[in-house]
Amino acid sequence: MSIGEEQPVVAYVVPKFPTLSETSVLSEMLALEARGLPLHVFSLARPNDPRFHEDLPKLKARVTYVPGPSELRTLLRHNHRAWRRYGKSYAHALGYALASGRPTLLWRVMQAAYIANVAERLGIRHVHARFADRAATIAFFLGRITGLPYSFTAQAGDIYRRSVRHAALARKAREARFV
């Protein structure tokens, strides 16, 4: 961080950033920054479209790209660090994912552990997930590992698709500070 730069207070977890089609995400972040709230973005994927929204240069928030499958060693190193730092809460999150029998939840715990380490270093005090699926699942596990409060935005596709696991959505909503 450079001299005079504000420390981020809220982390945004998003599926992919920046993305031209998600104008509402950028607009929301710009509005929060305009009100003086420092942000940091955690993107689960790198953009693959060279076109960006014209307002993107106005965003002050820095973006951290969460390691993907090709960076497994980095994720494992961060998970080891999270296990040492958070102990039982990390173990409980990991146990929850393993007990589910769903490999995707194990992957989300690994991603949450990575974000936990970076968020601690940055002084993040709240996590907001944009969308109720994988981003909110990561925020859910991040909250369980670190105790950080989280919130998430749910849109129609997050609620009404046939593939939505309603019990999981309800659990994320119950543990969230707000939805």
Side-chain angles (χ1 to χ4, degrees):
M1 227 178 314
S2 60
I3 296 173
E5 188 176 343
E6 290 184 79
Q7 188 170 359
V9 174
V10 174
Y12 258 66
V13 179
V14 295
K16 186 185 293 185
F17 189 82
T19 302
L20 183 61
S21 63
E22 298 296 345
T23 304
S24 64
V25 177
L26 178 60
S27 296
E28 186 176 297
M29 288 191 282
L30 287 170
L32 290 171
E33 285 186 342
R35 287 172 176 72
L37 190 65
L39 305 175
H40 188 90
V41 179
F42 288 94
S43 178
L44 304 179
R46 293 182 181 276
N48 52 4
D49 185 344
R51 298 170 299 151
F52 300 113
H53 194 280
E54 63 188 26
D55 287 339
L56 183 62
K58 295 177 185 175
L59 188 69
K60 295 176 199 156
R62 295 190 182 228
V63 180
T64 297
Y65 293 99
V66 178
S70 66
E71 301 161 289
L72 185 58
R73 279 191 159 156
T74 300
L75 275 181
L76 290 173
R77 190 172 56 253
H78 277 273
N79 274 259
H80 182 70
R81 188 176 301 144
W83 174 71
R84 286 193 333 256
R85 167 73 175 94
Y86 299 104
K88 282 186 180 181
S89 59
Y90 172 80
H92 286 297
L94 189 60
Y96 179 93
L98 291 170
S100 76
R102 295 179 51 220
T104 56
L105 287 187
L106 179 59
W107 184 251
R108 301 297 174 234
V109 168
M110 292 177 71
Q111 291 175 308
Y114 173 84
I115 294 172
N117 291 323
V118 177
E120 180 182 26
R121 183 174 47 81
L122 294 174
I124 299 294
R125 293 195 302 249
H126 184 87
V127 177
H128 182 72
R130 212 44 173 95
F131 306 110
D133 55 4
R134 61 189 168 147
T137 300
I138 290 168
F140 166 81
F141 282 123
L142 187 57
R144 287 205 161 181
I145 292 168
T146 65
L148 281 172
Y150 74 91
S151 55
F152 65 92
T153 302
Q155 295 182 277
D158 295 323
I159 300 168
Y160 298 113
R161 280 187 319 223
R162 288 182 188 210
S163 61
V164 172
R165 296 176 183 267
H166 292 285
L169 181 60
R171 190 175 309 107
K172 288 183 261 190
R174 272 194 310 274
E175 293 192 25
R177 178 161 286 169
F178 60 89
V179 179

